[in-house]
Amino acid sequence: MSEMHAETVPFVRDTMIPPAQPPELQSGAVKWLRANLFSGPVNTALTLLGVAIIWFLFSHFWDWFAHSVWNAGSLTECRQIIAERWGEGSRGACWAVIRERWHQYMFGFYPPELHFRPVMAFGFLMVALAPVLFSETVIIRRNVLIVTTVATLLLMFLLKAPMVWMVFAAVILIGSVILAERRVSRLLVFSFLYPLLGVWLLWGGSLWGPIMVLVALGLGWAAWRLLVGFSPLLAMIAGVLVTLGLWLFAVGPAASDARSLLALSIIPVDSDQFGGFLLSITIGVAGIALSLPMGIVLALARRSDMFLVHTLAVVFIEFIRGVPLITLLFVASLLLNYFLPPGTNFDIILRVIIMVTIFAAAYMAEVIRGGLAALPRGQYEAADALGLDYWRAQRLIILPQALKISIPGIVSTFIGMFKDTTLVVFVGLFDPLKGVSDFVRADINWKGIYWEPYIFVGAIFFIICFSMSRYSMYLERRLQRDHR
Amino acid sequence: MSDIPAPAHQPFRLSMLLYDRRYRSMTIQVVVFILVMAAGWWLVDNTIRNLQALGKDFNFGFLFQRSGYDIGSPPIPYNSDDTHLRAAVVGLLNTVIISILGCIAATFLGTAVGIARLSNNWLFARLMTIYVEMFRNIPLLLWILIVYALLTEILPAPAAYRGEDPEWSKILFGNVALTNRYTAIPSIGLTNDPGMLDLGFRIMINWATIAFAVVLIGGWLVRRVVLNRAQAAQDRTGERPTTWWINLAIMTVPSLLLIWYFGLHLIQPELTGFNFSGGLNLQNGFVALWLALTLYTGAFIAEIVRAGILSVSKGQTEAAFALGLQPNRTMNLVILPQALRVIIPPLTSQYLNLTKNSSLAIAVAYMDLRGTLGGTTLNQTGRELEAILLMMLIYLALSLLISAGMNAFNARVKLKER
């Protein structure tokens, strides 16, 4: 056989066939549909069910959205306009309520002429966060800072901020953009000062309080500096004692003395004037900022070898995790005054922040403990081998890795906490969801309006929480060091 | 870290309390102990002084006073002449009921959605993703209020069901009527009623319920015996005796006999006068809370289930198929046991969350523990400290109970390493 074949002329094609389209059923939209929607009887049934759900939602709600009214003075007027425009018996959304009351949803009863102050505080918050959260890439940081600057100044202009404040904000915002371009770590100083600045901007009053708090901190640092050569531990104790002592006993009188010399004061705003998203964001941001360090300390305490420290941490964490947040808020509003020296009566927002922080810290501690437990033993051994002491080992080796592992958990704790700020309505604060909406509905003009406020508030919560979760996913990817 | 033993002759110096590893942890613990005790003493002292200033004392006697308020549809007999303690028990039972029902429904919903998110169907998976993201990123309180508003605003008054040709008609084969105040569902009637067992404290339980419970638990135990025997037979001979029809019979026949004996039937709700009677009227507050808790927690459980299934490597399925296992046995014997290990710990915390979140009943006027003990009782007696303390302890006990139960379950399914 082989000989015969050897003599035949081999047939080899010497031109290329032009590439042909795949068969109709194997390409493009048809193939995609067959693969993803109609690959089998179950799949087809699911597709039909999905289409039915979409159709149900569309047919029930579309006309309501399509007939939206933005300009009206009351619900009756809204209904009138809808009836005129789309005929008798048709229904529609009356977003006019949001248009009319948006300032209450945003700021509660904060004096309207001072609305620029929370806006400015929020803008500064973004600047303070920039070196911590947005510094993975220059581009992101630049975008965040520039957008913040432009948006804050524009909003302040629209809210008719006085010229002095415009200049103040412009100097800080533009200055921070320039500073961030040159040396971003300098911005951390601003992040450090921000809590005091934010409190001052939101609540107003005299600047001397925050200044004295800072001075006390400085004196504490000086005490630490003085003793650190002698004994680090003693220096730490002395520093903390000096700071706390000054905060408790000296800051108040010193601030009031200074105030009598020079007022340095802006219009004060009471806590009961806070409301809406301003309240939620204030409580949320304060709770987040305070609960993270407290959670880290609790997690380390729970993993400690020292029996007493470990037991106390376990009892504290399990107790807080075992009760609903509402009961803790009731403690804040009804019981906290029992626990403090007679005659003490401090701000309800501060009390709520304390309770929310304690609550979130217990959850945070468990999340971080998970991260600590997930670290390979070798990391601890390596730290020991390098001769690092406990705090250095934690700070340089253990915590950075543990926190990185627990980012998803930390962020979902944050999201949960931010959502839970709506519960403050039950201790008499004006949260955006129920507090402000009930207030709006109590007005005779808007009586009987249900869906629009809920949808509006829900949408804003969704945007904030969803962006937080997406940002955490992004952060997780950025910080991923293992190459799989 | 191994400590190098110090030479024995080194004398003890005071500074070793700070610088020697062996003593330092003792020092720290003593300091912490003193600080905690001081803080505790400070709090208790303040509380005592504050209570004195207000002329109050600390006692739980108010629990045995007449409550003087009513609770709509209590699970055990209760009226306003009963004590605050009984009101608190009613509230606790309401909390437990909503938690159990919510956990069951959320588990089913969450499992279904979690699996659906992994399905090949592009459209359905996207829809489920939208559902999960919607519910996870919006406060629970909003969902409770929306569901409650849906029920109270859109549904008609019971009168809409009146007449030959009513505006609204009952759904589910005429068994369920939705109204703006309650949902009327059928109740179970017995033609051959065996009477009640009195448990004391005016709590009655029907003998028929006990009979069903006994039959079901007994059937389950017998089934285990049968399965063990089948396993033994298989180990001995290599052939597994057919057991499915025995099991089916054990689980169904006695119940069917009981149903026939007691004459079990549904009593449909009928509109008499202005309201439905005959069945059970579930208050809208309860239905709204239950639905909202289910939908909200279901979204979280869906993510947990999805992560659990994704955590089982694909090679496991392929290996099972290569061994010739059928898909359902692969699921039961290979995938689920491995997925459960990942699923159960976070599922436990979702159950805990649901139980704690049920305290949001305050928004829809459902009288749970917070509504009775931490609400009306607290306001009427002015005993904030005692009421809140007791309420917190009860919630804590509930949470510990749930986590103990789930931990026991977890211990059964977790990886046994040797």
Side-chain angles (χ1 to χ4, degrees):
Chain A
M1 288 292 277
S2 62
E3 286 143 41
M4 277 172 68
H5 274 279
E7 285 161 26
T8 52
V9 180
F11 175 78
V12 177
R13 194 181 173 102
D14 50 9
T15 52
M16 289 290 282
I17 306 176
Q21 292 292 322
E24 195 122 293
L25 293 178
Q26 291 298 316
S27 70
V30 179
K31 174 174 185 272
W32 187 88
L33 281 176
R34 280 170 66 102
N36 291 308
L37 295 181
F38 302 103
S39 65
V42 181
N43 213 338
T44 309
L46 279 180
T47 305
L48 293 180
L49 183 63
V51 170
I53 292 173
I54 293 173
W55 174 246
F56 176 85
L57 294 175
F58 181 80
S59 63
H60 277 74
F61 298 113
W62 175 247
D63 63 326
W64 190 76
F65 275 109
H67 299 171
S68 294
V69 173
W70 279 93
N71 281 313
S74 69
L75 187 58
T76 9
E77 208 181 315
C78 258
R79 292 201 175 129
Q80 238 167 14
I81 295 173
I82 292 164
E84 272 168 29
R85 238 180 257 169
W86 288 284
E88 210 55 52
S90 57
R91 57 197 195 131
C94 182
W95 301 107
V97 65
I98 305 298
R99 188 190 165 89
E100 184 133 299
R101 298 302 187 94
W102 66 271
H103 55 93
Q104 274 168 358
Y105 277 103
M106 289 297 146
F107 302 106
F109 304 106
Y110 209 87
E113 68 279 6
L114 298 180
H115 280 174
F116 70 91
R117 264 170 33 189
V119 168
M120 190 162 57
F122 189 69
F124 290 172
L125 173 69
M126 296 309 276
V127 174
L129 289 181
V132 187
L133 285 185
F134 304 110
S135 57
E136 300 91 46
T137 60
V138 182
I139 298 166
I140 288 184
R141 190 180 59 227
R142 200 177 285 156
N143 286 344
V144 167
L145 281 176
I146 290 175
V147 168
T148 307
T149 304
V150 172
T152 311
L153 291 177
L154 194 69
L155 279 173
M156 283 177 70
F157 179 71
L158 290 177
L159 290 167
K160 302 194 179 62
M163 207 55 209
V164 190
W165 285 107
M166 288 293 287
V167 172
F168 175 69
V171 166
I172 288 194
L173 290 167
I174 296 171
S176 70
V177 173
I178 295 167
L179 196 65
E181 288 298 309
R182 293 171 64 89
R183 188 124 170 248
V184 72
S185 54
R186 291 272 170 79
L187 263 187
L188 281 171
V189 178
F190 184 76
S191 313
F192 175 73
L193 291 178
Y194 177 75
L196 295 170
L197 182 65
V199 166
W200 181 60
L201 284 178
L202 286 178
W203 274 272
S206 171
L207 187 57
W208 283 111
I211 289 180
M212 287 302 163
V213 169
L214 266 184
V215 168
L217 210 60
L219 288 177
W221 182 76
W224 176 78
R225 203 56 216 260
L226 222 64
L227 285 174
V228 75
F230 177 61
S231 150
L233 197 69
L234 273 185
M236 193 141 84
I237 294 170
V240 170
L241 281 185
V242 166
T243 313
L244 283 181
L246 287 175
W247 277 352
L248 280 179
F249 302 110
V251 163
S256 66
D257 284 353
R259 208 175 309 146
S260 55
L261 283 177
L262 177 67
L264 263 194
S265 178
I266 55 176
I267 305 168
V269 180
D270 276 343
S271 279
D272 53 6
Q273 287 170 298
F274 279 60
F277 281 102
L278 171 61
L279 182 72
S280 288
I281 292 177
T282 306
I283 296 176
V285 170
I288 288 171
L290 297 171
S291 67
L292 189 58
M294 192 172 162
I296 292 174
V297 171
L298 277 174
L300 290 178
R302 193 168 177 168
R303 282 181 67 82
S304 159
D305 301 330
M306 290 179 265
F307 173 75
L308 194 66
V309 175
H310 168 81
T311 316
L312 284 173
V314 170
V315 169
F316 180 82
I317 291 173
E318 293 305 327
F319 178 73
I320 298 292
R321 277 162 45 93
V323 300
L325 179 58
I326 282 198
T327 60
L328 287 178
L329 290 177
F330 275 117
V331 170
S333 78
L334 296 173
L335 295 191
L336 218 50
N337 278 346
Y338 281 128
F339 297 147
L340 297 173
T344 330
N345 192 6
F346 65 102
D347 195 78
I348 178 75
I349 294 186
L350 185 58
R351 286 192 255 168
V352 165
I353 288 177
I354 292 175
M355 280 302 163
V356 167
T357 303
I358 289 178
F359 185 75
Y363 284 80
M364 200 71 78
E366 286 299 277
V367 169
I368 294 168
R369 188 170 72 107
L372 289 171
L375 271 195
R377 238 195 108 57
Q379 297 292 329
Y380 292 90
E381 288 165 353
D384 283 348
L386 286 175
L388 297 177
D389 65 16
Y390 179 79
W391 289 108
R392 283 224 181 94
Q394 296 296 338
R395 186 162 54 87
L396 298 173
I397 295 184
I398 309 298
L399 277 179
Q401 301 184 63
L403 289 179
K404 192 196 79 191
I405 299 172
S406 25
I407 283 175
I410 292 176
V411 175
S412 40
T413 312
F414 285 165
I415 292 177
M417 198 185 84
F418 184 62
K419 286 189 296 180
D420 281 346
T421 57
T422 50
L423 302 191
V424 298
V425 69
F426 298 120
V427 293
L429 291 173
F430 272 85
D431 86 304
L433 174 53
K434 194 165 153 57
V436 176
S437 294
D438 283 357
F439 178 78
V440 167
R441 244 178 264 126
D443 184 345
I444 191 77
N445 285 333
W446 301 111
K447 205 165 172 54
I449 198 152
Y450 277 93
W451 315 113
E452 291 85 349
Y454 288 157
I455 292 173
F456 171 70
V457 174
I460 293 189
F461 266 106
F462 181 83
I463 290 168
I464 297 176
C465 296
F466 192 68
S467 359
M468 282 213 286
S469 75
R470 289 292 131 148
Y471 178 77
S472 94
M473 285 158 104
Y474 163 81
L475 201 62
E476 221 180 310
R477 274 199 307 278
R478 289 283 314 181
L479 295 176
Q480 207 161 48
R481 292 282 180 272
D482 48 348
H483 303 283
R484 286 190 187 172
Chain B
M1 165 167 307
S2 60
D3 291 322
I4 302 161
H9 59 266
Q10 195 177 343
F12 178 78
R13 290 187 317 268
L14 207 58
S15 65
M16 282 167 77
L17 284 180
L18 273 187
Y19 296 112
D20 194 312
R21 275 184 169 278
R22 290 168 298 171
Y23 304 115
R24 189 167 55 186
S25 72
M26 284 311 288
T27 320
I28 294 175
Q29 292 195 59
V30 169
V31 170
V32 166
F33 183 74
I34 292 170
L35 283 179
V36 169
M37 281 295 135
W41 177 79
W42 185 70
L43 290 177
V44 170
D45 179 58
N46 282 332
T47 311
I48 291 171
R49 283 201 290 162
N50 279 315
L51 284 175
Q52 264 173 0
L54 289 170
K56 286 184 180 178
D57 58 346
F58 184 78
N59 84 52
F60 287 94
F62 71 96
L63 284 175
F64 304 102
Q65 291 165 5
R66 180 178 176 276
S67 65
Y69 63 93
D70 279 312
I71 297 174
S73 50
I76 57 172
Y78 168 85
N79 61 52
S80 57
D81 282 330
D82 283 316
T83 58
H84 284 297
L85 181 64
R86 198 174 174 95
V89 171
V90 170
L92 174 61
L93 284 176
N94 275 340
T95 294
V96 171
I97 289 170
I98 195 97
S99 307
I100 292 176
L101 289 178
C103 286
I104 293 172
T107 309
F108 278 109
L109 178 73
T111 312
V113 173
I115 294 172
R117 274 198 76 181
L118 292 172
S119 89
N120 294 326
N121 190 304
W122 180 87
L123 181 70
F124 208 69
R126 288 299 173 289
L127 273 179
M128 290 303 119
T129 309
I130 292 174
Y131 156 73
V132 168
E133 293 295 346
M134 286 267 285
F135 276 84
R136 286 195 333 151
N137 287 310
I138 293 180
L140 170 62
L141 183 59
L142 181 73
W143 293 117
I144 294 177
L145 292 174
I146 283 188
V147 177
Y148 190 61
L150 273 175
L151 293 177
T152 51
E153 294 299 312
I154 289 189
L155 295 179
Y161 291 87
R162 196 189 302 281
E164 281 298 300
D165 185 26
E167 287 172 70
W168 283 64
S169 51
K170 292 189 273 186
I171 53 172
L172 289 179
F173 311 108
N175 281 318
V176 175
L178 304 163
T179 78
N180 60 357
R181 280 183 291 129
Y182 50 80
T183 301
I185 61 166
S187 61
I188 294 167
L190 303 169
T191 39
N192 183 13
D193 200 330
M196 301 287 217
L197 169 69
D198 195 342
L199 293 179
F201 300 106
R202 306 210 319 274
I203 301 169
M204 309 278 222
I205 191 163
N206 198 304
W207 279 106
T209 317
I210 301 173
F212 275 105
V214 167
V215 159
L216 283 179
I217 294 172
W220 186 70
L221 290 176
V222 173
R223 179 174 160 269
R224 276 185 60 176
V225 173
V226 170
L227 285 182
N228 283 343
R229 282 189 156 185
Q231 188 66 45
Q234 186 180 13
D235 291 345
R236 206 171 51 244
T237 62
E239 291 227 355
R240 193 179 178 86
T242 321
T243 54
W244 66 266
W245 58 270
I246 305 176
N247 285 331
L248 195 69
I250 291 169
M251 293 311 280
T252 53
V253 171
S255 307
L256 287 174
L257 280 176
L258 279 182
I259 288 176
W260 169 77
Y261 174 73
F262 289 125
L264 215 64
H265 59 273
L266 291 181
I267 303 175
Q268 287 199 354
E270 294 299 336
L271 193 63
T272 53
F274 291 105
N275 283 308
F276 280 95
S277 60
L280 284 176
N281 291 347
L282 303 176
Q283 301 304 314
N284 266 350
F286 170 79
V287 179
L289 190 64
W290 180 64
L291 274 178
L293 283 174
T294 301
L295 288 169
Y296 184 78
T297 314
F300 287 85
I301 293 181
E303 285 299 271
I304 292 168
V305 169
R306 188 173 74 105
I309 294 177
L310 281 180
S311 76
V312 181
S313 94
K314 205 165 160 50
Q316 298 282 329
T317 323
E318 289 166 351
F321 284 160
L323 288 176
L325 284 185
Q326 286 153 1
N328 62 339
R329 286 181 77 82
T330 307
M331 195 66 179
N332 284 335
L333 300 176
V334 180
I335 312 282
L336 269 186
Q338 299 187 61
L340 271 182
R341 280 179 207 140
V342 183
I343 289 174
I344 287 175
L347 191 65
T348 309
S349 71
Q350 285 310 320
Y351 286 167
L352 290 172
N353 280 346
L354 192 146
T355 309
K356 285 181 284 171
N357 281 336
S358 72
S359 59
L360 290 183
I362 184 178
V364 288
Y366 174 67
M367 293 296 265
D368 70 335
L369 183 64
R370 207 225 57 83
T372 54
L373 179 62
T376 320
T377 295
L378 186 152
N379 288 333
Q380 280 189 4
T381 59
R383 297 271 175 187
E384 296 100 351
L385 193 60
E386 293 91 337
I388 291 181
L389 202 65
L390 196 59
M391 182 168 69
M392 285 179 127
L393 288 179
I394 294 176
Y395 272 116
L396 187 63
L398 269 184
S399 298
L400 293 179
L401 216 63
I402 294 172
S403 56
M406 290 299 283
N407 283 342
F409 182 46
N410 193 28
R412 278 187 54 190
V413 298
K414 80 171 180 203
L415 187 62
K416 309 258 187 322
E417 278 176 304
R418 292 191 176 86

